[in-house]
Amino acid sequence: MAQLTQQAHTWYVSGEMVLETVSQLLEQSKALTLQADTQLDLSKVTDVDTSAVSLILEFQRRAKKESVRLGLLAVPEDLTSLIQLYGVDTFIFSN
């Protein structure tokens, strides 16, 4: 099971960020607030696939729409590789 929670200015993802769970995580994100300099902590992510990249991009789009920054913390190496493979590293890591 994947879960997205918030404490202060940090969103915490735990579990898998894979095709079967990203819609659940996206739905959970609707209840969370983006505040100035919100961080997305991925330290408890256990597995990723390409849909994790799409989910992060969606979070980034929301942050941009709400005029806030969304940074990433503890990005797993396999997710970093996927982000680089798809050529969105400049966009994702510049925020």
Side-chain angles (χ1 to χ4, degrees):
M1 177 178 180
Q3 189 171 16
L4 181 63
T5 58
Q6 181 173 10
Q7 291 181 357
H9 292 264
T10 305
W11 289 10
Y12 295 91
V13 181
S14 60
E16 299 177 328
M17 289 179 75
V18 295
L19 183 60
E20 294 80 17
T21 63
V22 293
S23 59
Q24 172 189 5
L25 291 167
L26 183 59
E27 188 62 31
Q28 291 173 10
S29 75
K30 293 176 183 177
L32 305 182
T33 59
L34 282 169
Q35 302 169 13
D37 296 323
T38 296
Q39 298 292 312
L40 181 63
D41 187 316
L42 304 172
S43 62
K44 304 260 189 220
V45 171
T46 58
D47 193 20
V48 297
D49 65 16
T50 57
S51 58
V53 177
S54 296
L55 181 62
I56 290 171
L57 288 170
E58 181 58 35
F59 290 162
Q60 292 283 5
R61 279 190 287 275
R62 177 179 165 191
K64 185 174 182 178
K65 183 179 177 182
E66 295 183 25
S67 301
V68 297
R69 290 191 53 198
L70 179 66
L72 300 179
L73 299 172
V75 181
E77 286 184 37
D78 48 352
L79 180 55
T80 298
S81 295
L82 288 171
I83 290 168
Q84 291 171 339
L85 176 69
Y86 287 102
V88 293
D89 51 320
T90 303
F91 176 73
I92 289 178
F93 294 124
S94 69
N95 290 312

